[in-house]
Amino acid sequence: MQKLARSRGCFSDNILSIVASSRIIPIIDVANGFDYRKLLAMYYDNGFRTIEVRMNSPYVKQLVDIVQKDFPNTYIFAGTCLSTQDMTKARHLGLDILISPVFDPKLMEFCCLHNQPYIPCVNSVESLNIALSMGFSVLKFYPAEKYGGVDFLRKVYKDYDVRFMPSGGITLEIIKDYINEPNVAACCTSHISPLKLQEENNWTDIEKNIIRAAKILLETSEA
């Protein structure tokens, strides 16, 4: 597990253990006809052992099947869980942790009732307070760049006993700024293998981005 900058209380749970050991979590979505097996292999060969797949992707089952069969010891997060139906589907697929891009107490209650590992979304002090009152200590901060970015994380650091997983607008140029914050466990990003590069079949730039992200991952792991 990645050593956190400071112990902040109840962070020995399995969710934090997985998230904090990941540090950079690629969001995997694939364009029509794209070779996603090759993409997954490229991530795996460069040391990535946690990915996020979108539950609204038409290829989610194929992606999950390939990861579970061919890439052992890889955690799969279920992103874009917008309803209890999405969550039920994710559970049936055997995904490790569920994530939402919206703040919805009903989804938090559903996961509590079903003992499902879940990272709810917050983007304000108000939503942060509600999530904390419901017992959640690892939170998705989304869309991070739109709602204050690193400044928001610094604003709430001293008063809130939580760890964040920021996402939304976080490019490779700024991802290190987020990871270096002491209340950040990991960052999720779709900017490593974006759909635009996939649609162009631009494997050169995709590989460059993955190698660059892997270097940042190694640097933050050694820090």
Side-chain angles (χ1 to χ4, degrees), residues 44 48-50 66-76:
Y44 192 85
F48 290 90
R49 293 296 182 270
T50 306
I66 289 173
V67 174
Q68 291 175 338
K69 179 183 177 183
D70 296 338
F71 302 101
N73 306 315
T74 297
Y75 293 108
I76 313 174

Side-chain angles (χ1 to χ4, degrees), residues 69-141:
K69 179 183 177 183
D70 296 338
F71 302 101
N73 306 315
T74 297
Y75 293 108
I76 313 174
F77 291 5
T80 323
C81 287
L82 297 170
S83 66
T84 56
Q85 289 78 13
D86 289 337
M87 292 179 157
T88 299
K89 179 180 179 182
R91 292 174 66 214
H92 288 163
L93 287 173
L95 303 192
D96 297 289
I97 297 175
L98 278 53
I99 310 170
S100 295
V102 295
F103 175 72
D104 189 341
K106 291 181 181 177
L107 299 182
M108 289 188 260
E109 291 171 1
F110 179 86
C111 287
C112 287
L113 287 171
H114 292 87
N115 197 29
Q116 175 65 52
Y118 177 54
I119 300 175
C121 174
V122 301
N123 52 36
S124 67
V125 171
E126 291 75 18
S127 56
L128 173 53
N129 281 327
I130 294 172
L132 188 60
S133 71
M134 296 180 71
F136 291 93
S137 60
V138 182
L139 306 167
K140 178 183 177 78
F141 173 38

Side-chain angles (χ1 to χ4, degrees), residues 35-70:
D35 188 350
Y36 44 83
R37 185 186 293 273
K38 179 179 177 180
L39 179 65
L40 291 167
M42 196 172 285
Y43 275 114
Y44 192 85
D45 291 345
N46 280 279
F48 290 90
R49 293 296 182 270
T50 306
I51 63 168
E52 177 183 332
V53 296
R54 301 183 194 272
M55 292 309 297
N56 58 356
S57 168
Y59 306 102
V60 63
K61 188 177 187 308
Q62 294 96 314
L63 285 168
V64 171
D65 286 345
I66 289 173
V67 174
Q68 291 175 338
K69 179 183 177 183
D70 296 338

